[in-house]
């Protein structure tokens, strides 16, 4: 684990374009639509969070029967899956995903750090 952020790769994909593309692909390939499809999209987030827990347990060797089965890199990857899944779920609820998320991040940041904090717009 590192305590400092890693700079993005020079050719990293645009976050919001990628979320839109993933949403479009998933929406075109879902077996259930309507309320059931919406609920399943939201439940996918719980599945991904469970995979984070599994990776943490595996990275720390907390299951004596299995021992160490994961690395902290696995935990990072699973956390990324949670973020992606949450943003795709948000995109399922609103096409204004970027604006909705940015406004909410600003409110949370101001609530936590004070109103003078400037959120980086993306």
């Amino acid at each position: 684990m590192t305590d400092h952020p890693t700079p993005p790769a020079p050719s990293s994909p645009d976050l919001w374009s990628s979320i839109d593309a993933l949403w479009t692909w998933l929406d075109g390939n879902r077996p259930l639509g309507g309320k059931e499809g919406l609920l399943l999209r939201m439940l996918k987030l719980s599945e991904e969070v469970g995979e984070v827990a599994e990776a943490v347990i595996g990275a720390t060797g907390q299951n004596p029967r299995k021992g160490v089965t994961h690395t902290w890199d696995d935990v990072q990857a699973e956390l990324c899956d949670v973020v992606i899944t949450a943003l795709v779920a948000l995109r399922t609820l609103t096409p204004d995903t970027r604006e909705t998320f940015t406004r909410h991040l600003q409110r949370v940041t101001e609530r936590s750090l004070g109103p003078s904090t400037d959120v980086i717009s993306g």
Side-chain angles (χ1 to χ4, degrees), residues 106 109-111 113-118:
Q106 183 69 42
T109 303
E110 287 177 0
R111 183 176 65 222
L113 303 176
S116 64
T117 305
D118 183 31

Side-chain angles (χ1 to χ4, degrees), residues 30 32-43 89 92-93:
R30 64 182 172 162
L32 294 174
K35 289 183 180 182
E36 292 86 6
L38 178 64
L39 291 173
L40 289 169
R41 181 75 47 89
M42 301 306 137
L43 285 175
T92 301
L93 296 177

